[in-house]
Amino acid sequence: MKKLHLFVLCVLTSFIVNAQELPFRMEELTAPDYIKAVEKSSKTCILPIGVFEKHGPHLPLGTDLYTAREFAIRAAEKEYTVVFPWYYFSQINEAKHQPGTIAYSPELIWKVLQETLNELARNGFEKIIIVNGHGGNNAFLNFFGMAQLSERRNYSLYWFQPSDDLEVVKKAEELTQHDPYNQHAGNEESSVMKALEPEFVHLDRAGQQSGIDQDRLKNLPNVYTGIWWYAKFPNHYGGIGTKANAEAGELLINSTVTQLVKMIQAVKKDEMVPALQKQFFDESENPLKTKQ
């Protein structure tokens, strides 16, 4: 009887260990394990999006890549979800004047993103979460999301949009400084990178260039123009990163990851978006029969 108990215990232990060892980083999965991962993730995948661009004189070009993927990885550790590798085909035309910027054409970034989603869906994922680390993608992703309605899709796309926890922001500022601009490579982003990749952060250089808003379009009220970012922050540095630190960065990271975990859990349970999409596409095929 003891031998039977021991055998059962070994089997259970082996099952638990194997379940825990199933990687969630997509590039680490074998083909057979990929099948298990799709099921374990409830057919949910995270696509972390960043870009290669200048981040002031003190942060690495891949800052947005580091942050987006780290948020995804930390969340996946808490709520199993498959995480796609670094994705850098992003909108960054506003930084083409700065060294190290990799700015693909609008046509290419659209096509690559759409085909990536199509391939993820073809490989079993029904819910895809975009975690965006680059502010320059915001308008692009909004339009791209709406354009998903242009034809029937066999997946649902969700874009993670965290909000600031004012208490966390206050604590982070107490550990560092108040940054009146805090747009790009400023106090918060520099603190996050100090926590994630400190060896690539050079705070001693943060004061070498100005991150102050130049406000060069103040003579044009109620106007939008594509040159707006360059008009404000030509150094591609918006903020003050001189006093950033890792402790503040961890507070900010944890706040974002907590929100992302809750989002993943909600997306896995979500039945409304897929149902609404199906209804919408069905009605779109014959709008004259749509109930008025």
Side-chain angles (χ1 to χ4, degrees), residues 41 43-47 81-84 120 125 127-129:
S41 68
K43 300 182 179 180
T44 303
C45 177
I46 297 177
L47 180 63
T81 318
V82 175
V83 179
F84 196 81
L120 287 172
F125 291 110
K127 295 177 178 178
I128 303 170
I129 298 171

Side-chain angles (χ1 to χ4, degrees), residues 89-262:
F89 302 96
S90 289
Q91 192 298 119
I92 187 56
N93 287 305
E94 66 272 22
K96 288 179 72 172
H97 65 297
Q98 293 290 354
T101 300
I102 304 299
Y104 297 103
S105 68
E107 296 83 5
L108 180 62
I109 64 171
W110 188 285
K111 188 172 183 179
V112 172
L113 182 54
Q114 186 60 69
E115 292 201 8
T116 298
L117 299 183
N118 291 347
E119 282 298 284
L120 287 172
R122 188 178 68 82
N123 279 278
F125 291 110
E126 296 178 357
K127 295 177 178 178
I128 303 170
I129 298 171
I130 285 180
V131 174
N132 176 43
H134 173 50
N137 278 335
N138 291 344
F140 164 62
L141 289 175
N142 270 335
F143 181 40
F144 185 89
M146 290 300 298
Q148 294 296 289
L149 302 179
S150 63
E151 61 183 75
R152 189 181 292 272
R153 313 287 176 180
N154 58 347
Y155 61 86
S156 296
L157 182 62
Y158 305 79
W159 178 11
F160 174 55
Q161 296 183 310
S163 57
D164 288 334
D165 184 321
L166 297 183
E167 284 300 312
V168 171
V169 171
K170 181 180 178 182
K171 290 178 182 177
E173 286 188 353
E174 289 172 352
L175 290 167
T176 53
Q177 65 182 336
H178 174 65
D179 184 345
Y181 307 106
N182 203 32
Q183 292 281 313
H184 184 74
N187 185 55
E188 289 189 10
E189 192 166 33
S190 296
S191 292
V192 166
M193 282 303 294
K194 190 68 177 173
L196 296 183
E197 300 291 341
E199 67 271 32
F200 302 135
V201 176
H202 307 280
L203 293 185
D204 57 313
R205 305 177 192 174
Q208 292 179 357
Q209 297 177 5
S210 173
I212 296 174
D213 185 352
Q214 302 295 303
D215 198 19
R216 293 185 288 180
L217 297 180
K218 58 186 176 183
N219 62 315
L220 293 171
N222 306 317
V223 170
Y224 173 83
T225 171
I227 202 69
W228 73 273
W229 177 262
Y230 181 81
K232 286 178 170 290
F233 303 107
N235 291 327
H236 217 60
Y237 178 22
I240 307 170
T242 52
K243 296 183 179 180
N245 69 43
E247 186 178 355
E250 283 294 336
L251 288 175
L252 296 164
I253 293 167
N254 291 335
S255 175
T256 301
V257 171
T258 296
Q259 294 179 60
L260 180 53
V261 170
K262 291 179 180 178

